[in-house]
Structure formats: structure tokens, C-alpha cells
Amino acid sequence: MQKGSRMSRFLILFFASVLAVSFLFFPLVSLNSYESLNAVLAIVGPKSISTLDYEEGIERYKNLSRFFPSYRKKGSLHSQVIDFLIDRAVVDNAADEESIQVNEKRIEAEIQKRMEAQGITDLEQFKKSVQSQFNLPYDVWLEDLPYQIKKGQLLQIKVSPPLPSEQEVQAWYNKNKAKVGSEFKFREITLSPANASIDEETRVFNELTDIRNKSLKDPSFFKLVASGPRNESRYRLGGGLVNWVPTFELYKTQPITASVLTQVGGPGKISEVFRDDRKRYCIVLIEGMRPTPLDAVRKGIQGFLFREKEQTSFEDWVSTTRKNTTISIFDPIYIKEHNISNPEEKYNTD
């Protein structure tokens, strides 16, 4: 009995020891993993940047980096992400100092404001518009929206970008006439099928083709038909004449027609039969073509140049603010790449 008792006590002590070691070991693994994820890579003023921040920032940086100027992309991808997070922390700190709060309601209000500015009432349509405009997945754009709101507020409070001068507007116009495009004076004839049948579609197409062929021989025939009851254009009473419209303006309401005009050629040219945005069959006769005058695009150029100045001024402000912010770096890769001798001291890139 004594042997059995001693053996039982031995087994109990053995398994108790194993369990004790297990309880000691596994929490340490979990704790070490947690500490690894939360290791501090940098401290920017009152904010710290952890390994977890870095891991989450990699994909954001990859999605957004094409919008950054080339001089902001120094060193390896690893260091670029660290710099990206430092710059974002600088902006966050400044926003906190100015009591700029971006909560869920503020984000919802911003989305609603942007939808109204575009004349969009459906959220799904707005999402598609955002993806098309910024070439970004909507969820990536939405994740970055709080930063954009803070940036917009700081631009008003901290940054004062100068207005573009008349000389800058004129210089941009002279350099970018090809981008500005042309304006056209043209006549249009439009016909709609009575129904969606193939026979009806073919009939209308053939009718316009016949009008085009006759107009190529006698341009006055085009004007005659354009003034007649067969033409469904809203400009019919004026002989189908659309008087001097810049292509960028026409793109807003009739993108297909605008595209066709740029491909047809100069005055006297008649387009092939095409279907417009309203599924009507059309042909156009160009009567005049000239570079878009500066006065027609002045406001657009001023807005474009001002946005450029805003971006440049904001980048300069971030750079200056960063230089005046106490930054401590602890990331070994960044320290080695930038030859930082004392990471505990204030550090800023040139």
C-alpha cells in the first residue's frame, strides 16, 4: 500500500509540474506576441507608432502613394511607410491642437455634402463615382476621409496658399492648349427608333446613312434636313446648329457626341452614324473648330492651379511642422537606413 501511495503521489506531482510549466509557458508566448505587435517604432510628439500601426499602414501607403510627390518617397518601402505614418501623426497632432474632431457624424455629413455637390442621391452611385474619380476602392477612400477632412480644416487655419496670378493662368493655358481642347460650332441630326426591334433600328440607321451620303455631295441638304420635322434635336429650329461649345463642357451632358467631334476632323466634315447617350442615332456636321478661348476656361484653370498650390503649400507646412516636432525613432531598419546615431534624440529627415 505504501508503494502504491508513493507512486500515486509521484504521478500527481509529475502532472502538476507539467501543468504548471504549461501555464507559465503559453501565457508568455501570447504576451510576447502581443508585445511584438505593439512594439513602438517611433514617437511623434505625444503620439506613438507601433508595429501594428505599421502593418496596417503598408496597404494604405501602397494605395495612396501615387498621389504623393516624388520627393516624399525616399528610401526603401519600409522607410517610406514609416515616414508616411510620421507625417500622418504630425497632421493628427495639429488637428488635436486645433480641436478638429472627426467622428462618425462628421464623416456622414461630408459624404452627404459631396453627394449633393455631384447631384447624386444614391449611395451606391456615389461609391461608383468615387472609384471612377480617384481610381480607388471605396473602402480605401472612406478610410482616408478623416485625414482629408482634417487636411481641409488645417488648410483654412494653418496654411494660406496664394491665389494663382494672371501670368500663371496665361502661362498654363499657353502650355496646355492641347489639354484644354477645342470648341466646336456644329449641326446635328438625331433620329430615335420607334421601338427596340432590329428592323426599326436598321431602318433608322439606313435613313441617317442616306442623309449623310447625300450631304457629302450637297452640304446644303444636311442643313435642310436639320431644319425639318425629321430632326429630333432640340436645336432643330436653328437648323440643328450648336454654336461654339467647348468639348469639356459638352462632355458633361453629351460625352459621346463630344468624343465624336474630336475625331471627325475640321470644318465641313460629317461624322459617321453613331448612337448618343440617349440611344438616338445621330450625325454631326462641323462648321467651325478652334482652340478653346482662355476666357472660357479661366475659372477652371484658376481652380486647378489653386488646388496645386494648396497641395504644395500643405506639403511644405507638414515638412516644416515635422522639423519642429520632437520625433524619436526606434525602428532598427529606419535607424540603419538613415544612419541615426542616437534614436532617443529629436530626429527629422532633411
Side-chain angles (χ1 to χ4, degrees):
M1 291 294 293
Q2 289 181 350
K3 276 190 175 181
S5 298
R6 283 199 297 270
M7 181 61 72
S8 297
R9 286 197 297 272
F10 173 77
L11 290 173
I12 290 169
L13 289 172
F14 174 76
F15 284 114
S17 301
V18 171
L19 286 172
V21 170
S22 299
F23 281 125
L24 286 171
F25 177 71
F26 287 111
L28 280 174
V29 172
S30 178
L31 181 61
N32 288 337
S33 177
Y34 176 79
E35 289 176 346
S36 175
L37 283 172
N38 285 273
V40 175
L41 303 181
I43 297 177
V44 184
K47 292 191 181 296
S48 62
I49 298 171
S50 69
T51 303
L52 183 60
D53 295 324
Y54 173 81
E55 294 296 335
E56 292 176 347
I58 293 174
E59 201 60 33
R60 288 180 65 198
Y61 179 76
K62 288 179 179 178
N63 282 317
L64 299 172
S65 61
R66 56 193 168 87
F67 299 109
F68 305 155
S70 57
Y71 66 84
R72 302 296 265 177
K73 303 173 184 177
K74 297 178 181 178
S76 65
L77 175 62
H78 182 93
S79 289
Q80 288 181 41
V81 174
I82 296 291
D83 278 323
F84 165 71
L85 294 172
I86 290 173
D87 288 347
R88 291 297 172 105
V90 166
V91 171
D92 286 340
N93 289 338
D96 290 343
E97 290 172 5
E98 298 296 333
S99 299
I100 299 172
Q101 301 296 321
V102 183
N103 52 31
E104 189 174 342
K105 287 186 177 180
R106 178 69 181 85
I107 293 172
E108 289 175 356
E110 182 68 20
I111 291 172
Q112 187 61 39
K113 183 178 76 173
R114 296 189 182 214
M115 288 176 65
E116 290 174 358
Q118 296 183 43
I120 297 175
T121 56
D122 180 65
L123 181 58
E124 291 305 315
Q125 183 183 352
F126 177 70
K127 289 180 180 180
K128 292 178 182 177
S129 174
V130 166
Q131 290 175 184
S132 173
Q133 183 180 356
F134 298 102
N135 193 24
L136 282 174
Y138 179 76
D139 58 342
V140 174
W141 176 86
L142 184 62
E143 185 182 17
D144 195 55
L145 186 55
Y147 170 79
Q148 296 301 330
I149 294 172
K150 292 176 183 179
K151 176 181 175 181
Q153 293 287 299
L154 290 171
L155 274 167
Q156 296 179 31
I157 299 170
K158 294 284 192 179
V159 188
S160 299
L163 293 171
S165 67
E166 178 60 26
Q167 290 77 11
E168 289 174 318
V169 171
Q170 183 71 57
W172 191 95
Y173 173 79
N174 292 338
K175 186 178 179 180
N176 296 278
K177 283 186 178 180
K179 293 180 181 178
V180 170
S182 303
E183 63 175 11
F184 290 89
K185 180 180 181 180
F186 66 96
R187 295 181 188 271
E188 66 175 11
I189 298 173
T190 64
L191 302 177
S192 299
N195 54 60
S197 69
I198 296 177
D199 289 343
E200 177 63 9
E201 298 268 352
T202 302
R203 183 192 68 77
V204 174
F205 178 85
N206 289 339
E207 183 177 354
L208 267 180
T209 300
D210 183 58
I211 293 171
R212 179 181 186 276
N213 291 336
K214 290 179 179 178
S215 298
L216 288 172
K217 297 176 181 178
D218 180 9
S220 63
F221 183 76
F222 191 104
K223 298 177 184 179
L224 179 66
V225 176
S227 303
R230 297 159 73 187
N231 188 11
E232 297 176 13
S233 168
R234 61 174 175 161
Y235 301 102
R236 178 175 62 83
L237 295 179
L241 181 65
V242 181
N243 199 21
W244 293 118
V245 56
T247 49
F248 75 89
E249 286 289 349
L250 194 61
Y251 266 113
K252 297 176 183 177
T253 55
Q254 297 175 262
I256 294 178
T257 301
S259 179
V260 169
L261 285 170
T262 60
Q263 299 173 33
V264 171
K269 300 292 184 180
I270 301 175
S271 73
E272 299 287 346
V273 179
F274 65 95
R275 296 191 72 178
D276 69 3
D277 301 273
R278 294 170 57 187
K279 307 303 180 185
R280 302 175 302 178
Y281 286 89
C282 311
I283 52 175
V284 293
L285 165 64
I286 297 178
E287 294 206 345
M289 176 182 174
R290 65 190 183 191
T292 304
L294 175 58
D295 287 342
V297 293
R298 185 185 304 278
K299 287 185 178 179
I301 295 174
Q302 287 173 334
F304 173 79
L305 291 177
F306 183 71
R307 286 190 294 274
E308 277 196 338
K309 286 176 177 287
E310 271 191 332
Q311 182 62 29
T312 302
S313 297
F314 189 76
E315 292 287 349
D316 291 343
W317 174 82
V318 170
S319 180
T320 300
T321 306
R322 176 170 170 162
K323 289 177 182 177
N324 294 319
T325 300
T326 300
I327 301 174
S328 298
I329 305 292
F330 305 104
D331 177 66
I333 297 175
Y334 196 100
I335 289 173
K336 182 178 181 181
E337 192 168 325
H338 291 81
N339 297 316
I340 302 172
S341 57
N342 189 350
E344 296 288 345
E345 294 180 354
K346 177 178 174 181
Y347 169 74
N348 290 289
T349 56
D350 293 331

